[in-house]
């Protein structure tokens, strides 16, 4: 029996599995999905989990039930691409004919002393639960600091403002404004929402060191005091990918060919945050890429040359609490209630395996 091993049951890995099961899977081939959890976690919604506005049950999606799909639970500890083996903690090595690496990302701390030790993450289900506990235990009128004014930081700050109106909340960013990678109209809208709802924004902050309850900024001699710090200031591929001695881009993501394969190992596919793509990492990009990996495998089994369309993303959606949001469709910002409703619709579709 030949084996396709998919590492990671997130947006990208699950997309590969679903499309393979929906298509023509050879009778002598099985799919093995490896994940540390018994369900998919809707990572784009972890901001609501850490703010306490949803239960973690609301962000779990069951893996498909199919006799051709074997689900293995465990922590992936290493890869041997030459011997075609995956190493899983406390388990025998898992051999494969085809491998899909869709393990996602981890926080990037930019070499800042104490950042990992004294800040809280939202990159995994487990980390988000711990971050929620830390935030929930902050006393009334305590100070929460969110490092990073991009999409994740903005959503955490807004959702936390709605769930804990008693807290003091600030966002720190190296740029001049929150959402600095987006058009000025969208930046202004988000900034106005924060001003209206009492969220402090500090730009041009260059952190050099974190310690318990204190952040140090090279642009300001005064220390920044905080009760809890949430880190949303950058991501990088998981350590297993970092350790691979293969060509990578300047973000540490693996270089792939037009079929999403490693050029040196055409039986290995890299999906999502681990892959060097021409756009920013996102669940949407990972899903689209996963669908194409399934197309490539099905073409190979049919002895055909894969014909892949160019991946076109539909845009970006973000929330400001439960009643407002923002989005970018092409170069056009959309603001207010409509993008928030659209985001809720996308979440519903994800929960029901509809993309």
């Amino acid at each position: 029996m030949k084996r396709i091993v998919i590492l990671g049951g997130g947006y990208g890995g699950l997309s590969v599995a679903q499309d393979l099961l929906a298509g023509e899977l050879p009778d002598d081939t099985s799919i093995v999905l490896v994940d540390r959890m018994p369900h998919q976690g809707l990572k784009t919604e972890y901001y609501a989990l850490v703010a306490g506005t949803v239960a973690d049950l609301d962000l779990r999606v069951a893996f498909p039930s199919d006799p051709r799909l074997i689900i293995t639970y465990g922590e992936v500890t290493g890869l041997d691409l030459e011997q075609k083996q995956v190493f899983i903690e406390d388990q025998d090595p898992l051999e494969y004919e085809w491998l899909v690496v869709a393990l996602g990302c981890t926080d990037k701390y930019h070499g800042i002393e104490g950042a990992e030790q004294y800040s809280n993450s939202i990159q995994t289900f487990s980390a988000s639960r711990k971050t929620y506990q830390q935030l929930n235990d902050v006393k009334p009128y305590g100070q929460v600091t969110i490092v990073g004014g991009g999409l994740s930081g903005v959503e955490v700050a807004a959702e936390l403002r709605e769930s804990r109106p008693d807290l003091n909340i600030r966002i720190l960013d190296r740029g001049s404004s929150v959402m600095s990678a987006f058009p000025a109209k969208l930046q202004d809208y988000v900034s106005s929402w924060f001003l209206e709802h009492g969220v402090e924004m500090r730009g041009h902050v260059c952190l050099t060191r974190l310690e318990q309850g204190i952040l140090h900024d090279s642009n300001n001699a005064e220390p920044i005091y905080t009760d809890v710090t949430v880190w949303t200031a950058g991501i990088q591929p998981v350590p297993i990918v970092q350790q691979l001695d293969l060509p990578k881009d300047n973000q540490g993501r693996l270089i792939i060919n037009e079929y999403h394969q490693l050029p040196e190992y055409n039986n290995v596919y890299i999906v999502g945050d681990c892959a060097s793509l021409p756009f920013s990492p996102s669940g949407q990009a990972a899903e689209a890429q996963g669908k194409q990996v399934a197309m490539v495998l099905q073409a190979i089994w049919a002895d055909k040359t894969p014909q892949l369309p160019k991946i076109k993303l539909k845009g970006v959606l973000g929330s400001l609490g439960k009643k407002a949001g923002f989005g970018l469709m092409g170069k056009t910002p959309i603001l207010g209630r409509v993008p928030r409703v659209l985001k809720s619709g996308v979440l519903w579709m994800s929960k029901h395996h509809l993309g």
Side-chain angles (χ1 to χ4, degrees), residues 11 41-48 59 155 282-284 343 346-347 350:
Y11 295 103
L42 295 177
K43 188 173 182 178
T44 58
E45 305 299 312
Y46 285 178
Y47 69 90
L59 302 185
E155 290 191 311
S282 68
Q284 182 185 170
K343 193 172 192 296
V346 171
L347 174 60
S350 293

Side-chain angles (χ1 to χ4, degrees), residues 292-310:
Q292 291 203 348
V293 168
M295 292 170 61
V296 171
L297 287 168
Q298 288 162 347
I300 290 172
W301 296 330
D303 198 23
K304 296 179 180 178
T305 300
Q307 300 295 324
L308 300 180
K310 183 179 179 180

Side-chain angles (χ1 to χ4, degrees), residues 49-50 127-138 228:
L49 178 60
V50 304
S128 296
R129 288 191 183 109
K130 293 175 183 176
T131 299
Y132 161 70
Q133 184 176 2
Q134 291 286 319
L135 292 171
N136 186 63
D137 289 346
V138 176
V228 172

Side-chain angles (χ1 to χ4, degrees), residues 174 203-208 216-222:
R174 296 187 68 171
H204 302 297
V205 174
C206 185
L207 294 179
T208 57
H216 298 275
D217 173 18
S218 65
N219 294 329
N220 192 332
E222 293 293 323

Side-chain angles (χ1 to χ4, degrees), residues 68-339:
R68 299 167 296 172
L69 176 66
I70 302 166
I71 300 177
T72 296
Y73 304 118
E75 188 76 29
V76 178
T77 58
L79 303 175
D80 187 333
L81 303 184
E82 295 293 340
Q83 299 299 318
K84 300 181 182 179
Q85 289 183 328
V86 175
F87 301 103
I88 303 173
E89 189 175 34
D90 298 326
Q91 298 184 37
D92 292 333
L94 186 61
E95 297 184 347
Y96 62 84
E97 272 69 40
W98 302 276
L99 177 66
V100 178
V101 179
L103 289 169
C105 62
T106 188
D107 289 297
K108 186 172 184 178
Y109 295 105
H110 309 284
I112 299 173
E113 180 185 349
E116 183 173 5
Q117 184 178 359
Y118 295 111
S119 69
N120 296 271
S121 174
I122 64 169
Q123 290 303 323
T124 67
F125 220 126
S126 177
S128 296
R129 288 191 183 109
K130 293 175 183 176
T131 299
Y132 161 70
Q133 184 176 2
Q134 291 286 319
L135 292 171
N136 186 63
D137 289 346
V138 176
K139 295 179 179 179
Y141 310 108
Q143 178 69 62
V144 173
T145 302
I146 298 162
V147 181
L151 178 60
S152 295
V154 162
E155 290 191 311
V156 170
E159 200 78 7
L160 188 61
R161 167 50 71 227
E162 288 201 349
S163 70
R164 290 288 305 270
D166 57 291
L167 293 178
N168 295 299
I169 302 170
R170 72 162 69 96
I171 295 183
L172 308 180
D173 197 84
R174 296 187 68 171
S176 59
S177 168
V178 294
M179 303 297 290
S180 58
F182 289 78
K185 183 178 180 180
L186 192 151
Q187 293 179 38
D188 292 343
Y189 176 76
V190 174
S191 296
S192 296
W193 192 95
F194 280 150
L195 289 171
E196 180 183 349
H197 291 83
V199 176
E200 178 190 358
M201 293 169 286
R202 289 196 195 179
H204 302 297
V205 174
C206 185
L207 294 179
T208 57
R209 181 164 56 92
L210 275 67
E211 51 186 300
Q212 184 63 50
I214 305 174
L215 293 77
H216 298 275
D217 173 18
S218 65
N219 294 329
N220 192 332
E222 293 293 323
I224 301 170
Y225 294 100
T226 185
D227 292 303
V228 172
T229 301
V230 180
W231 192 269
T232 64
I235 58 173
Q236 60 186 340
V238 293
I240 287 173
V241 168
Q242 295 177 35
Q243 294 160 11
L244 290 175
D245 186 18
L246 293 169
K248 300 183 178 80
D249 64 14
N250 57 10
Q251 301 297 317
R253 302 177 300 181
L254 288 164
I255 303 295
I256 54 176
N257 63 21
E258 67 271 30
Y259 300 124
H260 312 290
Q261 301 161 331
L262 289 176
E264 299 86 348
Y265 302 93
N266 286 350
N267 64 328
V268 180
Y269 299 81
I270 311 298
V271 172
D273 300 342
C274 299
S276 181
L277 300 173
F279 26 71
S280 299
S282 68
Q284 182 185 170
E287 284 186 344
Q289 197 188 6
K291 289 180 178 296
Q292 291 203 348
V293 168
M295 292 170 61
V296 171
L297 287 168
Q298 288 162 347
I300 290 172
W301 296 330
D303 198 23
K304 296 179 180 178
T305 300
Q307 300 295 324
L308 300 180
K310 183 179 179 180
I311 292 177
K312 295 181 179 180
L313 303 185
K314 296 177 181 178
V316 178
L317 293 170
S319 71
L320 294 170
K322 300 302 184 190
K323 297 181 180 179
F326 53 88
L328 191 63
M329 301 299 156
K331 296 182 179 180
T332 304
I334 54 174
L335 312 170
R337 181 71 174 172
V338 171

